Amino acid sequence: MEVKVNKKSKSSTDEELLQLSKQELIDKIKQLEAHNSQLKCIVQKNLKPDTKNENGKHSNKRRPFDFSKCHKRHILLRFFYLGWDYQGFAAQEDSIETIEHHLFTALQKVCLIESRETSNYNRCGRTDKGVSAFHQVISIDVRSKIAPEDDQLSEDSLATELDYCGMLNRVLPEEIRCLAWMPMVNPSYSARFDCRSRTYRYFFPRGNLRIDAMQEACRHLVGAHDFRNLCKMDVGNGVVNFVRSIDECTIHASQTDSSGMGSYDMMYLQLRGKAFLWHQVRCIMAVLLLVGDGKEDPTIVKELLDVDRNPCKPQYSMASDVPLNLYDCQFNEKSSDASGESVSEGSDLRDWIFKEEDLRRTISDLQTLWTRASVKTTMMREMLQTLQDTFTQHFGAHDQISNQASSLTLGVRSREYCPLLQRQRCESLENRIEHFAKKRRIEVSNKSIDSNVCPPGALESST
């Protein structure tokens, strides 16, 4: 089948409102009130007083930058961010606390772009609320000191070019830092569509988890599968194909606890693939934690991937967003223009350009953040050791309490565990398609499509 997404209108008609129930109207009013409060906060934050400097002149006014006199170049820009306190990567209408909002605010503040609409912008991945990234990449047209006819790719040109990372880092929040940039030959090269693989890491403490059982479960995930039972189905945005391919799924040790207590060792799950579904990594991790806790057998993953036997997803809570990190991105050597032909000879990729001074400052800034978090962690670790000794002394129990990983599974825990395949099921894919079609959010035709082909927009990961 073929699905077309109908964009929601700005306002509801009288006829549509009359069809809503009393409870639906109450919910709609509450939603509008909350949205109105958020907009008021945004307006208040953006309103700046027209202050004067010491000379009595207006300090917040400056001459508009004339971009018509500037040269441009197409680049890849690589940066990291700690997304724990942000509402996700993508810009939103009702929040300014997104990575993309701060990024474009910085780009415009230092006059590297005139506007997002004219910047030929694409992003590698769209991480969700709370998710971090060590290797996020965007493609964008930025201001350049070098004219295109003067060979923007020569060593002299690159050495004398604007310090893109240094300029941006001076105005970005401390949790967001640019690391490097790459000059591009092909102006149509896209960080989104020319990305060949994305690697995610999910960090977690060893606790009392059965790592061998989790590794066995990971092996069932490798390859092309229908992941509708291991993601959050986004049918309302036109995603009806849930076949994705995972190239790597492994668990590794990250850090060993200095006291020698293995339950405090840090581990990470590494997943690599071209494209991921909405909340796919967090759903996979939730099931793996159940396996590691001994509540499910490693074969549960195989059962959930068998959509013929299990067409409806069992109800379970996702794993926490805090430990998830977009760790790496790999790109195609060649990209094509609109005609399907490459505009350059050889590889479109060049070396990433790092600047020693910028990298030193970035490392120092991140060390500051690490120090704040590490001191708190060390204090809590000392407290835990003291409490464990007290517990042993008073109750004579020599077993170590190892519930470190239990908090990563969200939701209310029942006293008696109910196996996944015995739980209440979510709606089937067909029912959800019918639901959104009735609401006129999507239009469905009977045109058949290859089940292994991702729908438009699916290559942009959203975990």
Side-chain angles (χ1 to χ4, degrees):
M1 74 187 114
E2 190 175 71
V3 173
K4 177 185 175 184
V5 179
N6 292 328
K7 292 186 177 180
K8 229 174 181 180
S9 59
K10 295 292 183 182
S11 58
S12 302
T13 64
D14 291 349
E15 183 180 356
E16 290 173 336
L17 292 173
L18 288 171
Q19 291 177 352
L20 298 177
S21 67
K22 183 178 179 179
Q23 186 59 48
E24 288 174 330
L25 286 170
I26 291 173
D27 293 340
K28 192 173 184 67
I29 291 171
K30 287 182 177 179
Q31 183 182 14
L32 289 172
E33 287 178 342
H35 183 70
N36 189 42
S37 297
Q38 289 174 326
L39 289 177
K40 284 181 178 178
C41 291
I42 293 171
V43 170
Q44 289 173 356
K45 288 180 181 179
N46 287 333
L47 286 176
K48 296 180 180 179
D50 190 14
T51 56
K52 296 182 179 181
N53 58 23
E54 297 176 354
N55 299 323
K57 296 182 179 179
H58 293 285
S59 58
N60 63 335
K61 290 185 178 181
R62 61 179 182 177
R63 184 182 302 173
F65 195 87
D66 189 357
F67 283 92
S68 64
K69 298 179 180 179
C70 299
H71 307 299
K72 287 185 178 182
R73 70 154 77 227
H74 190 58
I75 67 170
L76 294 183
L77 190 63
R78 175 184 168 184
F79 55 99
F80 77 78
Y81 53 85
L82 303 174
W84 307 316
D85 297 325
Y86 290 89
Q87 299 296 312
F89 181 82
Q92 301 173 22
E93 292 182 358
D94 57 355
S95 176
I96 61 172
E97 290 306 317
T98 65
I99 305 298
E100 211 169 54
H101 170 85
H102 288 288
L103 180 62
F104 274 97
T105 298
L107 284 165
Q108 290 177 292
K109 191 170 186 177
V110 297
C111 299
L112 288 181
I113 64 168
E114 185 171 9
S115 68
R116 173 172 176 160
E117 293 74 22
T118 60
S119 64
N120 189 22
Y121 167 75
N122 270 299
R123 59 198 173 208
C124 174
R126 184 185 58 199
T127 54
D128 293 320
K129 177 182 176 181
V131 179
S132 301
F134 176 67
H135 194 145
Q136 176 68 278
V137 177
I138 64 171
S139 52
I140 193 167
D141 291 346
V142 292
R143 176 166 60 93
S144 172
K145 290 171 61 177
I146 315 300
E149 58 269 17
D150 293 337
D151 188 6
Q152 292 182 331
L153 297 175
S154 69
E155 290 188 14
D156 290 340
S157 297
L158 297 177
T160 58
E161 186 54 281
L162 294 171
D163 180 11
Y164 295 123
C165 292
M167 295 168 68
L168 290 169
N169 287 340
R170 281 191 284 273
V171 295
L172 281 168
E174 61 181 358
E175 303 90 356
I176 309 171
R177 283 293 179 266
C178 289
L179 295 173
W181 66 280
M182 181 188 296
M184 303 303 298
V185 181
N186 190 344
S188 65
Y189 198 96
S190 168
R192 177 183 176 187
F193 297 108
D194 291 313
C195 181
R196 72 170 186 265
S197 76
R198 298 168 175 88
T199 300
Y200 283 90
R201 286 186 176 181
Y202 191 101
F203 294 86
F204 62 97
R206 182 188 293 271
N208 56 4
L209 297 174
R210 305 179 305 161
I211 302 299
D212 290 343
M214 296 174 71
Q215 288 278 27
E216 183 181 344
C218 285
R219 287 192 281 271
H220 296 300
L221 292 163
V222 177
H225 304 284
D226 190 316
F227 286 94
R228 69 180 67 179
N229 291 329
L230 290 166
C231 73
K232 189 171 181 180
M233 290 196 292
D234 198 16
V235 178
N237 283 321
V239 180
V240 295
N241 183 337
F242 297 92
V243 175
R244 298 293 185 273
S245 181
I246 291 181
D247 302 321
E248 179 190 358
C249 183
T250 51
I251 294 176
H252 305 270
S254 177
Q255 292 182 353
T256 303
D257 184 65
S258 58
S259 68
M261 293 178 60
S263 62
Y264 286 94
D265 292 349
M266 292 302 298
M267 316 290 292
Y268 64 86
L269 168 73
Q270 180 158 300
L271 281 166
R272 177 168 53 84
K274 184 174 184 180
F276 290 86
L277 295 158
W278 190 23
H279 293 319
Q280 182 180 352
V281 177
R282 292 173 63 189
C283 286
I284 287 174
M285 191 64 205
V287 174
L288 291 179
L289 288 172
L290 293 175
V291 172
D293 205 25
K295 295 176 179 177
E296 295 287 347
D297 190 80
T299 56
I300 185 62
V301 172
K302 193 174 182 180
E303 293 285 345
L304 293 174
L305 293 174
D306 188 347
V307 295
D308 292 328
R309 292 180 58 185
N310 296 289
C312 299
K313 176 185 176 182
Q315 293 185 358
Y316 61 88
S317 299
M318 294 187 298
S320 170
D321 51 12
V322 172
L324 185 54
N325 179 26
L326 174 57
Y327 183 74
D328 192 22
C329 304
Q330 296 296 320
F331 293 90
N332 296 324
E333 290 288 332
K334 300 288 292 181
S335 179
S336 302
D337 60 12
S339 64
E341 296 183 359
S342 176
V343 299
S344 61
E345 296 181 1
S347 173
D348 285 339
L349 301 180
R350 298 293 184 268
D351 292 332
W352 287 105
I353 297 177
F354 295 89
K355 196 168 183 179
E356 182 180 358
E357 181 182 351
D358 293 337
L359 200 54
R360 280 180 179 273
R361 188 178 294 114
T362 297
I363 292 173
S364 179
D365 291 343
L366 190 56
Q367 283 177 339
T368 299
L369 296 178
W370 173 86
T371 300
R372 296 175 193 168
S374 187
V375 167
K376 294 177 182 178
T377 302
T378 301
M379 291 172 65
M380 287 186 281
R381 182 69 184 88
E382 293 287 341
M383 291 177 183
L384 283 166
Q385 183 63 57
T386 303
L387 288 171
Q388 181 67 52
D389 293 342
T390 303
F391 181 79
T392 302
Q393 179 183 353
H394 282 75
F395 300 101
H398 295 283
D399 59 312
Q400 294 290 330
I401 300 173
S402 304
N403 296 324
Q404 293 92 335
S406 61
S407 62
L408 294 179
T409 303
L410 305 179
V412 179
R413 298 177 186 82
S414 58
R415 291 185 178 180
E416 294 186 6
Y417 179 75
C418 179
L420 284 178
L421 297 182
Q422 296 177 22
R423 296 187 187 185
Q424 187 175 352
R425 304 297 180 105
C426 301
E427 283 186 298
S428 67
L429 175 59
E430 291 73 20
N431 286 344
R432 291 187 67 80
I433 292 174
E434 183 181 357
H435 169 78
F436 285 106
K438 282 183 178 179
K439 284 183 168 286
R440 297 182 180 179
R441 286 278 303 275
I442 60 175
E443 293 179 7
V444 182
S445 66
N446 293 324
K447 182 179 178 182
S448 62
I449 60 173
D450 184 354
S451 63
N452 290 317
V453 175
C454 296
L459 295 185
E460 182 174 11
S461 61
S462 181
T463 56

PDB file of all heavy atoms in Angstrom, residues 149-164:
ATOM      1  N   GLU A 149      35.914  30.775  -7.468  1.00  0.00           N
ATOM      2  CA  GLU A 149      36.847  30.716  -8.596  1.00  0.00           C
ATOM      3  C   GLU A 149      38.305  30.657  -8.144  1.00  0.00           C
ATOM      4  O   GLU A 149      39.206  30.403  -8.956  1.00  0.00           O
ATOM      5  CB  GLU A 149      36.639  31.925  -9.522  1.00  0.00           C
ATOM      6  CG  GLU A 149      36.804  33.280  -8.873  1.00  0.00           C
ATOM      7  CD  GLU A 149      35.508  33.838  -8.303  1.00  0.00           C
ATOM      8  OE1 GLU A 149      34.560  33.031  -8.119  1.00  0.00           O
ATOM      9  OE2 GLU A 149      35.447  35.054  -8.060  1.00  0.00           O
ATOM     10  N   ASP A 150      38.573  30.858  -6.844  1.00  0.00           N
ATOM     11  CA  ASP A 150      39.941  30.827  -6.332  1.00  0.00           C
ATOM     12  C   ASP A 150      40.311  29.470  -5.732  1.00  0.00           C
ATOM     13  O   ASP A 150      41.266  29.385  -4.942  1.00  0.00           O
ATOM     14  CB  ASP A 150      40.125  31.919  -5.264  1.00  0.00           C
ATOM     15  CG  ASP A 150      40.039  33.308  -5.860  1.00  0.00           C
ATOM     16  OD1 ASP A 150      40.281  33.449  -7.067  1.00  0.00           O
ATOM     17  OD2 ASP A 150      39.717  34.254  -5.102  1.00  0.00           O
ATOM     18  N   ASP A 151      39.577  28.446  -6.079  1.00  0.00           N
ATOM     19  CA  ASP A 151      39.837  27.080  -5.604  1.00  0.00           C
ATOM     20  C   ASP A 151      39.704  26.988  -4.095  1.00  0.00           C
ATOM     21  O   ASP A 151      40.682  27.069  -3.349  1.00  0.00           O
ATOM     22  CB  ASP A 151      41.223  26.598  -6.040  1.00  0.00           C
ATOM     23  CG  ASP A 151      41.421  25.108  -5.721  1.00  0.00           C
ATOM     24  OD1 ASP A 151      40.452  24.452  -5.287  1.00  0.00           O
ATOM     25  OD2 ASP A 151      42.545  24.609  -5.910  1.00  0.00           O
ATOM     26  N   GLN A 152      38.491  26.824  -3.641  1.00  0.00           N
ATOM     27  CA  GLN A 152      38.212  26.766  -2.206  1.00  0.00           C
ATOM     28  C   GLN A 152      38.784  25.519  -1.532  1.00  0.00           C
ATOM     29  O   GLN A 152      38.811  25.440  -0.309  1.00  0.00           O
ATOM     30  CB  GLN A 152      36.698  26.813  -1.970  1.00  0.00           C
ATOM     31  CG  GLN A 152      36.059  28.151  -2.323  1.00  0.00           C
ATOM     32  CD  GLN A 152      34.573  28.169  -2.029  1.00  0.00           C
ATOM     33  OE1 GLN A 152      33.915  27.127  -2.070  1.00  0.00           O
ATOM     34  NE2 GLN A 152      34.036  29.338  -1.733  1.00  0.00           N
ATOM     35  N   LEU A 153      39.238  24.536  -2.343  1.00  0.00           N
ATOM     36  CA  LEU A 153      39.745  23.288  -1.764  1.00  0.00           C
ATOM     37  C   LEU A 153      41.268  23.238  -1.665  1.00  0.00           C
ATOM     38  O   LEU A 153      41.825  22.246  -1.202  1.00  0.00           O
ATOM     39  CB  LEU A 153      39.251  22.092  -2.588  1.00  0.00           C
ATOM     40  CG  LEU A 153      37.730  21.894  -2.624  1.00  0.00           C
ATOM     41  CD1 LEU A 153      37.364  20.762  -3.573  1.00  0.00           C
ATOM     42  CD2 LEU A 153      37.187  21.616  -1.234  1.00  0.00           C
ATOM     43  N   SER A 154      41.952  24.279  -2.096  1.00  0.00           N
ATOM     44  CA  SER A 154      43.414  24.280  -2.028  1.00  0.00           C
ATOM     45  C   SER A 154      43.871  24.386  -0.574  1.00  0.00           C
ATOM     46  O   SER A 154      43.138  24.853   0.303  1.00  0.00           O
ATOM     47  CB  SER A 154      43.986  25.443  -2.833  1.00  0.00           C
ATOM     48  OG  SER A 154      43.685  26.680  -2.200  1.00  0.00           O
ATOM     49  N   GLU A 155      45.107  23.975  -0.311  1.00  0.00           N
ATOM     50  CA  GLU A 155      45.648  24.007   1.054  1.00  0.00           C
ATOM     51  C   GLU A 155      45.694  25.429   1.603  1.00  0.00           C
ATOM     52  O   GLU A 155      45.399  25.669   2.775  1.00  0.00           O
ATOM     53  CB  GLU A 155      47.041  23.381   1.071  1.00  0.00           C
ATOM     54  CG  GLU A 155      47.056  21.878   0.853  1.00  0.00           C
ATOM     55  CD  GLU A 155      48.442  21.294   1.070  1.00  0.00           C
ATOM     56  OE1 GLU A 155      49.297  22.004   1.638  1.00  0.00           O
ATOM     57  OE2 GLU A 155      48.664  20.142   0.686  1.00  0.00           O
ATOM     58  N   ASP A 156      46.084  26.372   0.760  1.00  0.00           N
ATOM     59  CA  ASP A 156      46.156  27.767   1.205  1.00  0.00           C
ATOM     60  C   ASP A 156      44.765  28.289   1.564  1.00  0.00           C
ATOM     61  O   ASP A 156      44.596  29.004   2.570  1.00  0.00           O
ATOM     62  CB  ASP A 156      46.770  28.639   0.113  1.00  0.00           C
ATOM     63  CG  ASP A 156      48.256  28.354  -0.069  1.00  0.00           C
ATOM     64  OD1 ASP A 156      48.862  27.791   0.874  1.00  0.00           O
ATOM     65  OD2 ASP A 156      48.793  28.690  -1.140  1.00  0.00           O
ATOM     66  N   SER A 157      43.773  27.935   0.758  1.00  0.00           N
ATOM     67  CA  SER A 157      42.408  28.397   1.026  1.00  0.00           C
ATOM     68  C   SER A 157      41.883  27.827   2.333  1.00  0.00           C
ATOM     69  O   SER A 157      41.266  28.537   3.139  1.00  0.00           O
ATOM     70  CB  SER A 157      41.485  27.995  -0.130  1.00  0.00           C
ATOM     71  OG  SER A 157      41.882  28.632  -1.327  1.00  0.00           O
ATOM     72  N   LEU A 158      42.128  26.542   2.549  1.00  0.00           N
ATOM     73  CA  LEU A 158      41.644  25.903   3.775  1.00  0.00           C
ATOM     74  C   LEU A 158      42.362  26.448   5.006  1.00  0.00           C
ATOM     75  O   LEU A 158      41.772  26.567   6.081  1.00  0.00           O
ATOM     76  CB  LEU A 158      41.825  24.384   3.681  1.00  0.00           C
ATOM     77  CG  LEU A 158      41.033  23.685   2.563  1.00  0.00           C
ATOM     78  CD1 LEU A 158      41.351  22.200   2.538  1.00  0.00           C
ATOM     79  CD2 LEU A 158      39.536  23.904   2.751  1.00  0.00           C
ATOM     80  N   ALA A 159      43.640  26.790   4.852  1.00  0.00           N
ATOM     81  CA  ALA A 159      44.418  27.295   5.983  1.00  0.00           C
ATOM     82  C   ALA A 159      43.990  28.697   6.393  1.00  0.00           C
ATOM     83  O   ALA A 159      44.116  29.075   7.567  1.00  0.00           O
ATOM     84  CB  ALA A 159      45.901  27.285   5.632  1.00  0.00           C
ATOM     85  N   THR A 160      43.488  29.476   5.431  1.00  0.00           N
ATOM     86  CA  THR A 160      43.111  30.864   5.719  1.00  0.00           C
ATOM     87  C   THR A 160      41.603  31.052   5.847  1.00  0.00           C
ATOM     88  O   THR A 160      41.138  32.183   5.984  1.00  0.00           O
ATOM     89  CB  THR A 160      43.647  31.789   4.612  1.00  0.00           C
ATOM     90  OG1 THR A 160      43.114  31.357   3.336  1.00  0.00           O
ATOM     91  CG2 THR A 160      45.164  31.758   4.563  1.00  0.00           C
ATOM     92  N   GLU A 161      40.846  29.964   5.793  1.00  0.00           N
ATOM     93  CA  GLU A 161      39.389  30.061   5.868  1.00  0.00           C
ATOM     94  C   GLU A 161      38.934  30.479   7.261  1.00  0.00           C
ATOM     95  O   GLU A 161      39.697  30.438   8.240  1.00  0.00           O
ATOM     96  CB  GLU A 161      38.765  28.701   5.488  1.00  0.00           C
ATOM     97  CG  GLU A 161      37.252  28.664   5.380  1.00  0.00           C
ATOM     98  CD  GLU A 161      36.677  29.719   4.437  1.00  0.00           C
ATOM     99  OE1 GLU A 161      36.580  30.887   4.879  1.00  0.00           O
ATOM    100  OE2 GLU A 161      36.327  29.366   3.298  1.00  0.00           O
ATOM    101  N   LEU A 162      37.694  30.910   7.339  1.00  0.00           N
ATOM    102  CA  LEU A 162      37.116  31.290   8.625  1.00  0.00           C
ATOM    103  C   LEU A 162      37.198  30.128   9.618  1.00  0.00           C
ATOM    104  O   LEU A 162      37.082  28.961   9.239  1.00  0.00           O
ATOM    105  CB  LEU A 162      35.646  31.689   8.430  1.00  0.00           C
ATOM    106  CG  LEU A 162      35.370  32.949   7.607  1.00  0.00           C
ATOM    107  CD1 LEU A 162      33.886  33.070   7.318  1.00  0.00           C
ATOM    108  CD2 LEU A 162      35.867  34.190   8.346  1.00  0.00           C
ATOM    109  N   ASP A 163      37.377  30.446  10.874  1.00  0.00           N
ATOM    110  CA  ASP A 163      37.441  29.431  11.930  1.00  0.00           C
ATOM    111  C   ASP A 163      36.011  29.101  12.364  1.00  0.00           C
ATOM    112  O   ASP A 163      35.511  29.599  13.379  1.00  0.00           O
ATOM    113  CB  ASP A 163      38.261  29.956  13.109  1.00  0.00           C
ATOM    114  CG  ASP A 163      38.370  28.947  14.237  1.00  0.00           C
ATOM    115  OD1 ASP A 163      37.999  27.772  14.023  1.00  0.00           O
ATOM    116  OD2 ASP A 163      38.814  29.338  15.338  1.00  0.00           O
ATOM    117  N   TYR A 164      35.360  28.229  11.579  1.00  0.00           N
ATOM    118  CA  TYR A 164      33.937  27.955  11.790  1.00  0.00           C
ATOM    119  C   TYR A 164      33.660  27.431  13.203  1.00  0.00           C
ATOM    120  O   TYR A 164      32.749  27.900  13.885  1.00  0.00           O
ATOM    121  CB  TYR A 164      33.437  26.952  10.750  1.00  0.00           C
ATOM    122  CG  TYR A 164      33.481  27.467   9.330  1.00  0.00           C
ATOM    123  CD1 TYR A 164      34.176  26.794   8.336  1.00  0.00           C
ATOM    124  CD2 TYR A 164      32.818  28.642   8.993  1.00  0.00           C
ATOM    125  CE1 TYR A 164      34.207  27.270   7.036  1.00  0.00           C
ATOM    126  CE2 TYR A 164      32.850  29.140   7.692  1.00  0.00           C
ATOM    127  CZ  TYR A 164      33.550  28.433   6.716  1.00  0.00           C
ATOM    128  OH  TYR A 164      33.585  28.921   5.433  1.00  0.00           O
TER     129      TYR A 164
END
